[in-house]
Amino acid sequence: MARKSKFSKDIVISVVAPVYNEEQGITDFIAQVFSVLKKMDINHEVILVNDGSRDRTLQTIERQMKQYKNLRLIDLSRNYGREIAMTAGLDQSVGDYVVLMDSDLQDPPALIPQLLDKLLAENLDTVYAARSSREGESFLKKFSSKIFYRVASRVSGMSIPDNAGDYRVMSRRVVNAINSMKEHNRYLKMLYAYVGFKTGYVTFDRAARTSGTSSYNWVKLINAALDAIFAFSSKPLRWMSLISVGISLLLMSYAGMVLVSKIIGNHTVEGWSSLMFMVSLMFSILFLFLSVLSEYIGRILTESKNRPLYYLREENGSVHFQSQSIIQHDDSRR
Ligand code: UDP
Ligand code: MG
């Protein structure tokens, strides 16, 4: 190889990917990522976070570790979901720049050099991969995710691009900022928007999954949507309190009217429909507000317990990496 690397010898890049039941595709993923990193000729580590896979993913990764010495495995104690799995990977990463990507090859590893080039050339802190197309996804999934981003952006007051996934490269500054947020109701896309920093993007065509199955489903989407709204914004509470004030003013004046008409002796004994209307309207609003309150109270409960976000069953560092002085283990973070 005659070409000298354009990347400084001093920088290290970490590639972090959550893995859940990917035994069929993971070997290919590992091979592709390492081949890209090798071509880039850059110091690197690849961190796979096994998120409680139920198939032979773990054994497959362990076998690959014999071949790739910069492959690190973080084995979580159970399935926590991809947000927490990605968080665990970010926590453990040591690189100056961290690439976050899915391990199902829907995020093409070939894009890594482009992402990093843009970040370095334009001195940005985050460069995300914007999907210009999303193959293998139903119209309904695309449509619902569009609506979801609209609502989430609206409610949280932050701009969350709807064509961005988690595939991105971040500087250590951004990774540290995200790591410093220990909330349980996590939604990384909101956290990227929240921490800010200079952000750019490159576009790519998102391919369909080649193997395994997507764990996406409606329940997950609805949960994510509720989290994005209730965990990141207190606006619904504000709306409720404003509406409550309005209703109570209305009711007060209505009570006044009733009183006055009683005093001046107007006999009005009609009223099943008006009474029922009032009662059902009031109760419907009341229950709606109760449900919003429950959403908040439930989240306050989980957050106030302040438990660790995840437990590690095992962490297999790479021997190669631990011998280098750039690694600083911050045990207080675990
Ligand atoms: N994943 C995970 N834990 C889960 C579900 C998924 O770590 O509970 C990983 C999965 O292995 C993949 C990534 O998250 O690398 C994206 O998952 P998936 O392909 O199911 O989501 P989609 O691409 O359909 O949005
Ligand atoms: Mg996928």
Side-chain angles (χ1 to χ4, degrees), residues 120-159:
L120 294 174
E122 298 178 23
N123 200 13
L124 301 170
D125 281 295
T126 301
V127 176
Y128 66 85
R131 308 155 173 176
S132 54
S133 74
R134 299 165 71 162
E135 272 169 50
E137 290 182 14
S138 67
F139 168 77
L140 220 55
K141 177 170 181 182
K142 286 185 253 189
F143 181 72
S144 54
S145 87
K146 217 175 194 112
I147 302 262
F148 164 54
Y149 288 117
R150 280 277 153 79
V151 173
S153 299
R154 231 318 159 27
V155 174
S156 65
M158 297 181 293
S159 86

Side-chain angles (χ1 to χ4, degrees), residues 17-22 49 51 79-83 85 101-104 106 131 137 141 206 209 213-216 220:
V19 193
Y20 178 63
N21 293 350
E22 307 277 3
V49 185
D51 187 19
N79 177 252
Y80 288 88
R82 66 192 291 238
E83 300 290 329
M101 66 194 301
D102 287 354
S103 57
D104 57 4
Q106 281 195 285
R131 308 155 173 176
E137 290 182 14
K141 177 170 181 182
R206 192 161 206 252
R209 246 178 192 275
T213 48
S214 166
S215 56
Y216 164 90
K220 281 193 181 171

Side-chain angles (χ1 to χ4, degrees), residues 196-263:
F197 293 101
K198 284 193 188 143
T199 303
Y201 64 89
V202 298
T203 48
F204 80 112
D205 293 317
R206 192 161 206 252
R209 246 178 192 275
T210 46
S211 62
T213 48
S214 166
S215 56
Y216 164 90
N217 61 40
W218 282 98
V219 178
K220 281 193 181 171
L221 184 89
I222 291 169
N223 276 335
L226 288 177
D227 264 346
I229 293 166
F230 293 113
F232 286 87
S233 167
S234 54
K235 271 190 193 157
L237 282 175
R238 165 54 59 83
W239 296 335
M240 267 171 36
S241 81
L242 288 180
I243 295 172
S244 301
V245 170
I247 291 177
S248 81
L249 285 179
L250 276 176
L251 285 182
M252 252 184 247
S253 37
Y254 183 67
M257 271 159 54
V258 172
L259 197 67
V260 169
S261 85
K262 178 79 190 166
I263 291 169

Side-chain angles (χ1 to χ4, degrees), residues 98-100 115 126-129 164-170 189 192:
V98 180
V99 174
L100 193 57
L115 291 169
T126 301
V127 176
Y128 66 85
D166 286 296
Y167 192 14
R168 60 190 57 226
V169 59
M170 295 173 275
K189 276 181 210 126
Y192 308 134

